[in-house]
Amino acid sequence: MNNFVFQNPTKLIFGKGTIARLAREIPGDKTVMVTYGGGSVKKNGIYDQVTAALKNHRYIEFWGIEPNPSVETLRQAVALGKEHHVDYLLAVGGGSVLDGTKLISVAIPYSGDAWELVLNAELLGDALPVASVMTMPATGSEMNAGAVISNKTTQEKFAFNYKHPQFAILDPETTYSIPAFHIACGLADTFVHVMEQYMTTPDQSWLTDRWAEGILLNVVEIAPKIAENKHDYHLMSEYMLSATLALNGLISMGVTQDWVTHMIGHELTAIHGITHGQSLAIVLPATMTVLQAQKRGKILQYGERVWGITTGTPTERVLAAIDCTEQFFRSLNLATHLNEVQIGEETIAEVERRFNERKVALGEACNVNGAIARAILEACL
Ligand code: NZQ
Ligand code: ZN
């Protein structure tokens, strides 16, 4: 097991009716900016619950943080927050609203441009406290320090890591209104978060492996049942908690990590606007295919413990495990090939060029460069 430090200060408040707790979780002397996405919260009753809970607080609202939050939109929120001297931020929405709010929290106290903070971690200084009402299980952003921000002008998408949110309210009833496609993307994102921390080499931490496999098994079990009935409180609770635990630091304890699939997926989103979870469903099976020699031991363990693959030669079992992974994404009605989303050679060349220019060395073995990214994208054409 590798050395590690684990500290996760985010308070999780989980369950029915918990949005009302905003009233006592946010200190009464704060000036709050509540941030929202495109308006789904007005149709499903979440907005009414938030405003009722905050009736004795001083707050302003910022609307319009879009999926794959752009720095162009967030600059407007920063200006509004500065103008009103806000000193607390509450994100109400999915990972995009929360990630955008994390950037706002560091950009309000900063005198320069917000994009500089995304590009250069050394510039990150003071941050306003952030909390969330998370309405979309997927990113784990509610209980991690990460945020992924897009720049529409330059067609770039980068992550930064800084501070955890103060608290997260997770009410599974808020998920009933999520469209089927976004549920599929959220389940795929959760699955791939686990894989990025698990699909490396075996025997680093048996315990961490079993936590990871537990989340994978849970996601595989609930996915078809949620497709049948997304108003089932128990199922949506399992989905919500799986997404949070998949990326809150729990399953990275003591082990190496990969993240190649995410880094390639972010480029597909930056260039084509493709939804995050969908991009991962395309790339992950190809990443496993191209890197199968280096990941062989772990793919065999995964195949046996998650998919029950116990017969055949090792090579046959590796290929069967990769196929099960792709079939799982297909069972979610997601695309698993680039040609299904009209992406071809031009984009492959651009991703290769970007990775070469940035001199990336990704994955647990730090060996994924532009050429290997090309091989992965060609494998999912
Ligand atoms: O904007 P509204 O109107 O709220 O609609 C959203 C949006 O259109 C809708 N939605 C959310 N909750 C809903 C709902 N619709 C009905 N009912 C509800 N309860 O869903 C759509 C997608 O929302 P979005 O926030 O974009 O989805 P998600 O949570 O998947 O976030 C994606 C972003 O997070 C980043 C991704 O790259 C992407 O930018 N990630 C953040 C990570 C992190 N912070 O740790 C890690 C991830 O790997 C990921 O990269
Ligand atoms: Zn993700």
Side-chain angles (χ1 to χ4, degrees):
M1 204 180 287
N2 297 334
N3 289 7
F4 66 89
V5 174
F6 177 79
Q7 183 175 23
N8 193 322
T10 304
K11 178 177 183 178
L12 266 196
I13 301 168
F14 190 98
K16 268 181 210 183
T18 46
I19 293 175
R21 285 192 54 147
L22 285 173
R24 54 184 150 129
E25 296 297 335
I26 301 180
D29 60 348
K30 297 289 185 191
T31 302
V32 185
M33 180 155 77
V34 189
T35 53
Y36 294 103
S40 66
V41 293
K42 285 226 166 143
K43 292 183 214 135
N44 56 20
I46 297 171
Y47 177 73
D48 294 338
Q49 293 182 58
V50 170
T51 48
L54 293 180
K55 66 177 188 299
N56 294 323
H57 280 75
R58 196 168 54 244
Y59 69 91
I60 60 168
E61 297 176 354
F62 181 82
W63 287 88
I65 300 180
E66 67 276 64
N68 311 310
S70 74
V71 70
E72 289 86 350
T73 300
L74 300 170
R75 285 182 184 125
Q76 298 170 30
V78 172
L80 187 73
K82 284 186 176 180
E83 183 191 333
H84 290 268
H85 303 288
V86 305
D87 54 6
Y88 203 102
L89 298 167
L90 175 68
V92 181
S96 293
V97 175
L98 178 50
D99 282 8
T101 305
K102 288 178 178 175
L103 182 62
I104 297 166
S105 79
V106 285
I108 286 180
Y110 180 64
S111 56
D113 179 55
W115 188 243
E116 296 166 9
L117 298 167
V118 178
L119 296 182
N120 185 357
E122 286 177 11
L123 297 176
L124 294 166
D126 292 340
L128 302 184
V130 174
S132 78
V133 173
M134 180 50 93
T135 67
M136 166 83 206
T139 61
S141 186
E142 64 275 15
M143 205 178 179
N144 70 41
V148 190
I149 308 297
S150 296
N151 185 319
K152 286 191 210 162
T153 317
T154 59
Q155 289 200 329
E156 291 173 306
K157 185 177 189 207
F158 291 123
F160 73 94
N161 258 282
Y162 197 42
K163 294 201 168 160
H164 288 78
Q166 308 269 311
F167 67 85
I169 291 184
L170 301 181
D171 178 347
E173 289 188 324
T174 63
T175 66
Y176 295 169
S177 54
I178 305 172
F181 172 70
H182 285 294
I183 290 179
C185 288
L187 289 164
D189 195 20
T190 302
F191 190 93
V192 180
H193 290 160
V194 177
M195 292 292 269
E196 300 276 24
Q197 297 160 89
Y198 168 83
M199 187 44 71
T200 56
T201 52
D203 297 323
Q204 298 185 66
S205 167
W206 292 352
L207 181 61
T208 304
D209 277 4
R210 291 194 190 276
W211 281 337
E213 288 153 0
I215 298 172
L216 294 174
L217 284 162
N218 214 40
V219 171
V220 168
E221 179 167 348
I222 62 178
K225 297 177 180 167
I226 288 173
E228 292 286 307
N229 181 10
K230 65 174 182 173
H231 295 268
D232 183 313
Y233 183 79
H234 171 67
L235 289 176
M236 297 315 259
S237 301
E238 295 288 340
Y239 168 28
M240 220 169 188
L241 193 56
S242 296
T244 303
L245 296 187
L247 198 50
N248 74 344
L250 181 79
I251 59 163
S252 59
M253 285 190 217
V255 299
T256 53
Q257 301 181 45
D258 182 344
W259 296 104
V260 162
T261 297
H262 267 70
M263 291 306 113
I264 296 175
H266 285 341
E267 297 305 324
L268 300 181
T269 301
I271 299 167
H272 295 282
I274 180 169
T275 301
H276 175 62
Q278 171 60 91
S279 76
L280 305 175
I282 294 170
V283 179
L284 178 69
T287 302
M288 293 171 73
T289 302
V290 170
L291 299 176
Q292 62 179 279
Q294 136 189 351
K295 294 179 183 293
R296 188 178 186 84
K298 205 59 175 282
I299 298 179
L300 289 169
Q301 176 180 318
Y302 158 78
E304 180 171 345
R305 294 190 187 171
V306 176
W307 299 109
I309 300 166
T310 53
T311 56
T313 64
T315 301
E316 283 167 353
R317 283 189 278 148
V318 163
L319 295 179
I322 296 170
D323 189 50
C324 283
T325 310
E326 180 171 354
Q327 292 317 317
F328 172 63
F329 295 137
R330 294 214 80 86
S331 77
L332 297 173
N333 282 323
L334 293 175
T336 55
H337 289 274
L338 289 172
N339 63 31
E340 295 173 82
V341 291
Q342 289 76 50
I343 293 177
E345 165 56 30
E346 202 182 325
T347 300
I348 296 177
E350 175 61 11
V351 174
E352 182 181 23
R353 189 194 67 73
R354 289 180 178 199
F355 278 18
N356 285 339
E357 189 178 86
R358 293 179 206 148
K359 298 186 171 49
V360 302
L362 303 170
E364 73 275 13
C366 300
N367 59 348
V368 175
N369 53 18
I372 296 185
R374 162 176 280 282
I376 291 170
L377 287 168
E378 284 176 348
C380 56
L381 255 177

Short mmCIF file of all heavy atoms in Angstrom, two decimals, residues 207-261:
data_model
loop_
_atom_site.label_atom_id
_atom_site.label_comp_id
_atom_site.label_asym_id
_atom_site.label_seq_id
_atom_site.Cartn_x
_atom_site.Cartn_y
_atom_site.Cartn_z
N LEU A 207 -8.15 -3.93 0.37
CA LEU A 207 -9.35 -3.31 0.94
C LEU A 207 -9.92 -2.26 -0.01
O LEU A 207 -11.12 -2.24 -0.29
CB LEU A 207 -9.02 -2.69 2.30
CG LEU A 207 -10.20 -2.03 3.01
CD1 LEU A 207 -11.30 -3.05 3.31
CD2 LEU A 207 -9.74 -1.36 4.30
N THR A 208 -9.04 -1.38 -0.50
CA THR A 208 -9.51 -0.33 -1.42
C THR A 208 -10.11 -0.96 -2.68
O THR A 208 -11.15 -0.51 -3.18
CB THR A 208 -8.33 0.61 -1.78
OG1 THR A 208 -7.79 1.12 -0.56
CG2 THR A 208 -8.78 1.77 -2.62
N ASP A 209 -9.47 -2.04 -3.17
CA ASP A 209 -10.03 -2.74 -4.34
C ASP A 209 -11.46 -3.20 -4.07
O ASP A 209 -12.34 -3.08 -4.92
CB ASP A 209 -9.20 -3.99 -4.66
CG ASP A 209 -7.98 -3.65 -5.51
OD1 ASP A 209 -7.74 -2.46 -5.78
OD2 ASP A 209 -7.27 -4.61 -5.90
N ARG A 210 -11.68 -3.74 -2.89
CA ARG A 210 -13.02 -4.29 -2.62
C ARG A 210 -14.06 -3.19 -2.45
O ARG A 210 -15.22 -3.37 -2.83
CB ARG A 210 -12.97 -5.23 -1.41
CG ARG A 210 -12.20 -6.51 -1.73
CD ARG A 210 -12.43 -7.59 -0.69
NE ARG A 210 -11.52 -8.71 -0.88
CZ ARG A 210 -11.72 -9.72 -1.73
NH1 ARG A 210 -12.82 -9.75 -2.47
NH2 ARG A 210 -10.83 -10.68 -1.84
N TRP A 211 -13.65 -2.04 -1.91
CA TRP A 211 -14.60 -0.91 -1.87
C TRP A 211 -14.97 -0.52 -3.30
O TRP A 211 -16.13 -0.28 -3.61
CB TRP A 211 -13.96 0.30 -1.19
CG TRP A 211 -13.92 0.26 0.30
CD1 TRP A 211 -14.73 -0.46 1.13
CD2 TRP A 211 -13.02 0.99 1.14
NE1 TRP A 211 -14.38 -0.21 2.43
CE2 TRP A 211 -13.35 0.67 2.48
CE3 TRP A 211 -11.98 1.89 0.91
CZ2 TRP A 211 -12.67 1.22 3.57
CZ3 TRP A 211 -11.32 2.44 1.98
CH2 TRP A 211 -11.66 2.10 3.30
N ALA A 212 -13.92 -0.43 -4.16
CA ALA A 212 -14.16 -0.03 -5.56
C ALA A 212 -15.08 -1.04 -6.25
O ALA A 212 -16.05 -0.65 -6.92
CB ALA A 212 -12.83 0.08 -6.30
N GLU A 213 -14.79 -2.31 -6.08
CA GLU A 213 -15.62 -3.34 -6.72
C GLU A 213 -17.05 -3.28 -6.19
O GLU A 213 -18.01 -3.51 -6.94
CB GLU A 213 -15.01 -4.73 -6.48
CG GLU A 213 -13.73 -4.95 -7.29
CD GLU A 213 -12.76 -5.94 -6.65
OE1 GLU A 213 -13.08 -6.48 -5.57
OE2 GLU A 213 -11.68 -6.16 -7.23
N GLY A 214 -17.20 -2.94 -4.92
CA GLY A 214 -18.55 -2.82 -4.34
C GLY A 214 -19.35 -1.73 -5.04
O GLY A 214 -20.54 -1.92 -5.35
N ILE A 215 -18.70 -0.61 -5.32
CA ILE A 215 -19.42 0.48 -6.02
C ILE A 215 -19.75 0.05 -7.45
O ILE A 215 -20.87 0.26 -7.93
CB ILE A 215 -18.61 1.79 -5.99
CG1 ILE A 215 -18.38 2.26 -4.55
CG2 ILE A 215 -19.33 2.88 -6.79
CD1 ILE A 215 -17.43 3.44 -4.41
N LEU A 216 -18.79 -0.58 -8.13
CA LEU A 216 -19.06 -1.04 -9.51
C LEU A 216 -20.24 -2.01 -9.53
O LEU A 216 -21.16 -1.88 -10.36
CB LEU A 216 -17.82 -1.72 -10.10
CG LEU A 216 -16.59 -0.83 -10.35
CD1 LEU A 216 -15.40 -1.69 -10.80
CD2 LEU A 216 -16.88 0.25 -11.39
N LEU A 217 -20.22 -2.99 -8.62
CA LEU A 217 -21.31 -3.97 -8.58
C LEU A 217 -22.65 -3.30 -8.31
O LEU A 217 -23.68 -3.65 -8.89
CB LEU A 217 -21.03 -5.02 -7.50
CG LEU A 217 -19.96 -6.07 -7.88
CD1 LEU A 217 -19.44 -6.78 -6.63
CD2 LEU A 217 -20.54 -7.08 -8.87
N ASN A 218 -22.62 -2.31 -7.43
CA ASN A 218 -23.87 -1.61 -7.09
C ASN A 218 -24.42 -0.86 -8.31
O ASN A 218 -25.62 -0.92 -8.60
CB ASN A 218 -23.61 -0.64 -5.94
CG ASN A 218 -24.79 -0.51 -5.03
OD1 ASN A 218 -25.46 -1.50 -4.73
ND2 ASN A 218 -25.07 0.70 -4.59
N VAL A 219 -23.52 -0.17 -9.02
CA VAL A 219 -23.96 0.60 -10.19
C VAL A 219 -24.52 -0.34 -11.26
O VAL A 219 -25.57 -0.08 -11.86
CB VAL A 219 -22.79 1.45 -10.75
CG1 VAL A 219 -23.16 2.07 -12.09
CG2 VAL A 219 -22.41 2.54 -9.75
N VAL A 220 -23.84 -1.47 -11.48
CA VAL A 220 -24.32 -2.43 -12.48
C VAL A 220 -25.69 -2.98 -12.08
O VAL A 220 -26.57 -3.18 -12.93
CB VAL A 220 -23.28 -3.57 -12.66
CG1 VAL A 220 -23.86 -4.72 -13.46
CG2 VAL A 220 -22.01 -3.03 -13.31
N GLU A 221 -25.88 -3.20 -10.79
CA GLU A 221 -27.17 -3.75 -10.34
C GLU A 221 -28.32 -2.75 -10.44
O GLU A 221 -29.42 -3.08 -10.87
CB GLU A 221 -27.05 -4.25 -8.89
CG GLU A 221 -28.37 -4.82 -8.39
CD GLU A 221 -28.25 -5.60 -7.09
OE1 GLU A 221 -27.13 -5.92 -6.67
OE2 GLU A 221 -29.32 -5.89 -6.51
N ILE A 222 -28.05 -1.49 -10.07
CA ILE A 222 -29.16 -0.53 -10.04
C ILE A 222 -29.50 0.03 -11.41
O ILE A 222 -30.64 0.46 -11.63
CB ILE A 222 -28.90 0.63 -9.05
CG1 ILE A 222 -27.68 1.46 -9.46
CG2 ILE A 222 -28.80 0.11 -7.63
CD1 ILE A 222 -27.40 2.66 -8.56
N ALA A 223 -28.53 0.05 -12.34
CA ALA A 223 -28.75 0.74 -13.61
C ALA A 223 -30.02 0.29 -14.34
O ALA A 223 -30.87 1.12 -14.69
CB ALA A 223 -27.52 0.61 -14.51
N PRO A 224 -30.21 -1.03 -14.56
CA PRO A 224 -31.43 -1.42 -15.29
C PRO A 224 -32.70 -1.17 -14.48
O PRO A 224 -33.76 -0.90 -15.06
CB PRO A 224 -31.23 -2.92 -15.55
CG PRO A 224 -30.18 -3.37 -14.60
CD PRO A 224 -29.34 -2.17 -14.28
N LYS A 225 -32.59 -1.25 -13.17
CA LYS A 225 -33.78 -1.02 -12.33
C LYS A 225 -34.18 0.45 -12.37
O LYS A 225 -35.37 0.78 -12.38
CB LYS A 225 -33.49 -1.47 -10.89
CG LYS A 225 -33.21 -2.96 -10.78
CD LYS A 225 -32.87 -3.38 -9.37
CE LYS A 225 -32.61 -4.89 -9.35
NZ LYS A 225 -31.98 -5.34 -8.12
N ILE A 226 -33.18 1.34 -12.41
CA ILE A 226 -33.49 2.77 -12.50
C ILE A 226 -34.14 3.09 -13.85
O ILE A 226 -35.05 3.91 -13.93
CB ILE A 226 -32.22 3.62 -12.27
CG1 ILE A 226 -31.80 3.55 -10.80
CG2 ILE A 226 -32.42 5.07 -12.71
CD1 ILE A 226 -30.47 4.21 -10.48
N ALA A 227 -33.67 2.39 -14.90
CA ALA A 227 -34.28 2.61 -16.23
C ALA A 227 -35.76 2.25 -16.20
O ALA A 227 -36.57 2.85 -16.90
CB ALA A 227 -33.54 1.79 -17.28
N GLU A 228 -36.12 1.28 -15.36
CA GLU A 228 -37.53 0.87 -15.22
C GLU A 228 -38.32 1.89 -14.40
O GLU A 228 -39.47 2.17 -14.67
CB GLU A 228 -37.61 -0.48 -14.49
CG GLU A 228 -37.08 -1.66 -15.27
CD GLU A 228 -38.04 -2.05 -16.38
OE1 GLU A 228 -39.22 -2.26 -16.08
OE2 GLU A 228 -37.59 -2.12 -17.54
N ASN A 229 -37.67 2.41 -13.32
CA ASN A 229 -38.41 3.30 -12.42
C ASN A 229 -37.47 4.26 -11.71
O ASN A 229 -36.85 3.92 -10.70
CB ASN A 229 -39.18 2.48 -11.37
CG ASN A 229 -39.98 3.36 -10.44
OD1 ASN A 229 -40.12 4.56 -10.68
ND2 ASN A 229 -40.50 2.78 -9.37
N LYS A 230 -37.39 5.48 -12.24
CA LYS A 230 -36.47 6.46 -11.63
C LYS A 230 -37.13 7.20 -10.45
O LYS A 230 -36.53 8.13 -9.91
CB LYS A 230 -35.95 7.43 -12.68
CG LYS A 230 -37.00 8.32 -13.28
CD LYS A 230 -36.39 9.35 -14.21
CE LYS A 230 -37.47 10.25 -14.77
NZ LYS A 230 -37.01 11.37 -15.55
N HIS A 231 -38.34 6.80 -10.09
CA HIS A 231 -39.00 7.41 -8.93
C HIS A 231 -38.92 6.51 -7.70
O HIS A 231 -39.65 6.70 -6.74
CB HIS A 231 -40.46 7.74 -9.24
CG HIS A 231 -40.59 8.79 -10.30
ND1 HIS A 231 -40.69 10.14 -10.03
CD2 HIS A 231 -40.59 8.69 -11.65
CE1 HIS A 231 -40.75 10.81 -11.15
NE2 HIS A 231 -40.69 9.96 -12.15
N ASP A 232 -38.05 5.52 -7.75
CA ASP A 232 -37.89 4.60 -6.61
C ASP A 232 -36.86 5.20 -5.65
O ASP A 232 -35.67 5.32 -5.98
CB ASP A 232 -37.41 3.24 -7.16
CG ASP A 232 -37.27 2.20 -6.06
OD1 ASP A 232 -36.68 2.51 -5.01
OD2 ASP A 232 -37.74 1.06 -6.27
N TYR A 233 -37.31 5.58 -4.47
CA TYR A 233 -36.45 6.30 -3.52
C TYR A 233 -35.21 5.48 -3.16
O TYR A 233 -34.09 6.00 -3.10
CB TYR A 233 -37.22 6.65 -2.25
CG TYR A 233 -36.40 7.46 -1.27
CD1 TYR A 233 -36.21 8.83 -1.46
CD2 TYR A 233 -35.81 6.86 -0.17
CE1 TYR A 233 -35.44 9.58 -0.59
CE2 TYR A 233 -35.03 7.60 0.71
CZ TYR A 233 -34.85 8.95 0.50
OH TYR A 233 -34.08 9.69 1.36
N HIS A 234 -35.41 4.19 -2.92
CA HIS A 234 -34.28 3.34 -2.54
C HIS A 234 -33.23 3.29 -3.64
O HIS A 234 -32.03 3.49 -3.40
CB HIS A 234 -34.77 1.92 -2.20
CG HIS A 234 -33.65 0.96 -2.01
ND1 HIS A 234 -32.76 1.04 -0.96
CD2 HIS A 234 -33.23 -0.09 -2.77
CE1 HIS A 234 -31.86 0.08 -1.07
NE2 HIS A 234 -32.12 -0.61 -2.15
N LEU A 235 -33.67 3.06 -4.88
CA LEU A 235 -32.72 2.98 -6.00
C LEU A 235 -31.97 4.28 -6.20
O LEU A 235 -30.74 4.30 -6.40
CB LEU A 235 -33.45 2.65 -7.31
CG LEU A 235 -34.01 1.24 -7.48
CD1 LEU A 235 -34.78 1.15 -8.79
CD2 LEU A 235 -32.89 0.21 -7.45
N MET A 236 -32.71 5.41 -6.13
CA MET A 236 -32.05 6.69 -6.37
C MET A 236 -31.12 7.05 -5.21
O MET A 236 -30.11 7.74 -5.41
CB MET A 236 -33.09 7.79 -6.64
CG MET A 236 -33.94 7.55 -7.89
SD MET A 236 -32.97 7.03 -9.36
CE MET A 236 -32.85 8.56 -10.27
N SER A 237 -31.41 6.55 -4.03
CA SER A 237 -30.48 6.74 -2.89
C SER A 237 -29.18 5.99 -3.16
O SER A 237 -28.08 6.50 -2.92
CB SER A 237 -31.10 6.20 -1.59
OG SER A 237 -32.30 6.85 -1.30
N GLU A 238 -29.32 4.76 -3.65
CA GLU A 238 -28.13 3.95 -3.95
C GLU A 238 -27.28 4.63 -5.03
O GLU A 238 -26.04 4.66 -4.95
CB GLU A 238 -28.54 2.56 -4.45
CG GLU A 238 -29.26 1.70 -3.42
CD GLU A 238 -28.33 1.20 -2.32
OE1 GLU A 238 -27.11 1.19 -2.51
OE2 GLU A 238 -28.86 0.83 -1.25
N TYR A 239 -27.96 5.17 -6.03
CA TYR A 239 -27.27 5.88 -7.12
C TYR A 239 -26.55 7.10 -6.57
O TYR A 239 -25.36 7.33 -6.83
CB TYR A 239 -28.32 6.23 -8.19
CG TYR A 239 -27.94 7.20 -9.28
CD1 TYR A 239 -26.64 7.35 -9.73
CD2 TYR A 239 -28.94 7.96 -9.90
CE1 TYR A 239 -26.33 8.25 -10.76
CE2 TYR A 239 -28.65 8.84 -10.92
CZ TYR A 239 -27.34 8.99 -11.34
OH TYR A 239 -27.05 9.87 -12.35
N MET A 240 -27.25 7.87 -5.75
CA MET A 240 -26.68 9.12 -5.25
C MET A 240 -25.45 8.87 -4.39
O MET A 240 -24.41 9.52 -4.54
CB MET A 240 -27.76 9.85 -4.45
CG MET A 240 -27.73 11.32 -4.70
SD MET A 240 -29.13 12.22 -4.06
CE MET A 240 -28.73 13.79 -4.83
N LEU A 241 -25.57 7.92 -3.48
CA LEU A 241 -24.44 7.66 -2.58
C LEU A 241 -23.28 7.01 -3.33
O LEU A 241 -22.10 7.29 -3.05
CB LEU A 241 -24.89 6.78 -1.40
CG LEU A 241 -23.89 6.70 -0.25
CD1 LEU A 241 -23.53 8.08 0.30
CD2 LEU A 241 -24.44 5.83 0.88
N SER A 242 -23.60 6.17 -4.32
CA SER A 242 -22.52 5.57 -5.14
C SER A 242 -21.71 6.66 -5.83
O SER A 242 -20.47 6.60 -5.86
CB SER A 242 -23.11 4.64 -6.21
OG SER A 242 -23.77 3.54 -5.62
N ALA A 243 -22.40 7.64 -6.40
CA ALA A 243 -21.70 8.72 -7.12
C ALA A 243 -20.80 9.50 -6.17
O ALA A 243 -19.66 9.84 -6.51
CB ALA A 243 -22.72 9.64 -7.79
N THR A 244 -21.31 9.78 -4.99
CA THR A 244 -20.49 10.56 -4.03
C THR A 244 -19.26 9.77 -3.60
O THR A 244 -18.14 10.29 -3.60
CB THR A 244 -21.33 10.93 -2.79
OG1 THR A 244 -22.49 11.64 -3.23
CG2 THR A 244 -20.54 11.80 -1.84
N LEU A 245 -19.46 8.50 -3.25
CA LEU A 245 -18.34 7.71 -2.72
C LEU A 245 -17.34 7.32 -3.81
O LEU A 245 -16.20 6.97 -3.52
CB LEU A 245 -18.86 6.45 -2.02
CG LEU A 245 -19.71 6.71 -0.77
CD1 LEU A 245 -20.02 5.40 -0.06
CD2 LEU A 245 -19.04 7.67 0.19
N ALA A 246 -17.76 7.39 -5.06
CA ALA A 246 -16.85 7.05 -6.16
C ALA A 246 -15.74 8.07 -6.33
O ALA A 246 -14.69 7.76 -6.91
CB ALA A 246 -17.63 6.91 -7.47
N LEU A 247 -15.97 9.29 -5.85
CA LEU A 247 -14.92 10.30 -6.07
C LEU A 247 -14.79 11.27 -4.88
O LEU A 247 -14.75 12.48 -5.04
CB LEU A 247 -15.19 11.07 -7.38
CG LEU A 247 -13.99 11.83 -7.98
CD1 LEU A 247 -12.74 10.99 -8.09
CD2 LEU A 247 -14.34 12.43 -9.32
N ASN A 248 -14.76 10.69 -3.69
CA ASN A 248 -14.53 11.54 -2.50
C ASN A 248 -13.22 11.19 -1.80
O ASN A 248 -13.00 11.60 -0.67
CB ASN A 248 -15.72 11.45 -1.54
CG ASN A 248 -15.74 10.12 -0.79
OD1 ASN A 248 -15.07 9.17 -1.18
ND2 ASN A 248 -16.49 10.07 0.29
N GLY A 249 -12.37 10.43 -2.48
CA GLY A 249 -11.06 10.08 -1.91
C GLY A 249 -11.02 8.72 -1.26
O GLY A 249 -9.96 8.15 -1.03
N LEU A 250 -12.19 8.14 -0.99
CA LEU A 250 -12.26 6.86 -0.29
C LEU A 250 -11.52 5.75 -1.05
O LEU A 250 -10.71 5.03 -0.47
CB LEU A 250 -13.74 6.47 -0.13
CG LEU A 250 -14.03 5.17 0.59
CD1 LEU A 250 -13.90 5.37 2.10
CD2 LEU A 250 -15.43 4.66 0.26
N ILE A 251 -11.80 5.64 -2.36
CA ILE A 251 -11.25 4.49 -3.09
C ILE A 251 -9.92 4.79 -3.79
O ILE A 251 -9.45 3.99 -4.60
CB ILE A 251 -12.27 3.93 -4.11
CG1 ILE A 251 -12.67 4.99 -5.14
CG2 ILE A 251 -13.49 3.37 -3.40
CD1 ILE A 251 -13.33 4.40 -6.37
N SER A 252 -9.31 5.94 -3.44
CA SER A 252 -7.96 6.17 -3.97
C SER A 252 -6.91 5.98 -2.87
O SER A 252 -5.72 6.15 -3.12
CB SER A 252 -7.85 7.55 -4.60
OG SER A 252 -8.15 8.54 -3.65
N MET A 253 -7.37 5.60 -1.67
CA MET A 253 -6.41 5.45 -0.57
C MET A 253 -5.39 4.35 -0.88
O MET A 253 -5.75 3.20 -1.13
CB MET A 253 -7.14 5.07 0.71
CG MET A 253 -7.87 6.21 1.34
SD MET A 253 -8.44 5.72 2.98
CE MET A 253 -10.00 6.56 3.04
N GLY A 254 -4.13 4.74 -0.87
CA GLY A 254 -3.05 3.75 -0.96
C GLY A 254 -2.80 3.16 -2.33
O GLY A 254 -2.00 2.23 -2.45
N VAL A 255 -3.47 3.67 -3.36
CA VAL A 255 -3.31 3.05 -4.70
C VAL A 255 -2.94 4.09 -5.76
O VAL A 255 -3.21 5.28 -5.59
CB VAL A 255 -4.61 2.32 -5.15
CG1 VAL A 255 -4.97 1.21 -4.17
CG2 VAL A 255 -5.79 3.30 -5.29
N THR A 256 -2.34 3.62 -6.85
CA THR A 256 -2.07 4.50 -7.99
C THR A 256 -3.38 4.74 -8.76
O THR A 256 -4.34 4.00 -8.59
CB THR A 256 -1.04 3.88 -8.95
OG1 THR A 256 -1.50 2.56 -9.31
CG2 THR A 256 0.33 3.78 -8.29
N GLN A 257 -3.37 5.77 -9.61
CA GLN A 257 -4.59 6.10 -10.37
C GLN A 257 -4.26 6.27 -11.85
O GLN A 257 -3.11 6.43 -12.22
CB GLN A 257 -5.20 7.40 -9.83
CG GLN A 257 -5.56 7.31 -8.35
CD GLN A 257 -6.19 8.60 -7.83
OE1 GLN A 257 -7.07 9.17 -8.47
NE2 GLN A 257 -5.73 9.06 -6.66
N ASP A 258 -5.31 6.26 -12.67
CA ASP A 258 -5.12 6.30 -14.11
C ASP A 258 -5.51 7.67 -14.70
O ASP A 258 -4.66 8.47 -15.02
CB ASP A 258 -5.95 5.15 -14.74
CG ASP A 258 -5.79 5.06 -16.24
OD1 ASP A 258 -5.31 6.02 -16.85
OD2 ASP A 258 -6.16 4.02 -16.82
N TRP A 259 -6.81 7.92 -14.91
CA TRP A 259 -7.39 9.18 -15.41
C TRP A 259 -7.14 9.46 -16.89
O TRP A 259 -7.43 10.55 -17.38
CB TRP A 259 -6.98 10.39 -14.53
CG TRP A 259 -7.54 10.22 -13.16
CD1 TRP A 259 -6.86 9.84 -12.04
CD2 TRP A 259 -8.93 10.33 -12.76
NE1 TRP A 259 -7.73 9.72 -10.96
CE2 TRP A 259 -8.99 10.02 -11.38
CE3 TRP A 259 -10.10 10.67 -13.45
CZ2 TRP A 259 -10.19 10.02 -10.67
CZ3 TRP A 259 -11.30 10.68 -12.73
CH2 TRP A 259 -11.32 10.36 -11.35
N VAL A 260 -6.62 8.48 -17.64
CA VAL A 260 -6.42 8.67 -19.08
C VAL A 260 -7.76 8.88 -19.79
O VAL A 260 -7.92 9.76 -20.64
CB VAL A 260 -5.67 7.46 -19.68
CG1 VAL A 260 -5.82 7.39 -21.20
CG2 VAL A 260 -4.20 7.52 -19.29
N THR A 261 -8.75 8.05 -19.43
CA THR A 261 -10.05 8.14 -20.10
C THR A 261 -10.65 9.53 -19.90
O THR A 261 -11.19 10.13 -20.84
CB THR A 261 -10.98 7.04 -19.56
OG1 THR A 261 -10.42 5.77 -19.89
CG2 THR A 261 -12.38 7.15 -20.14
#
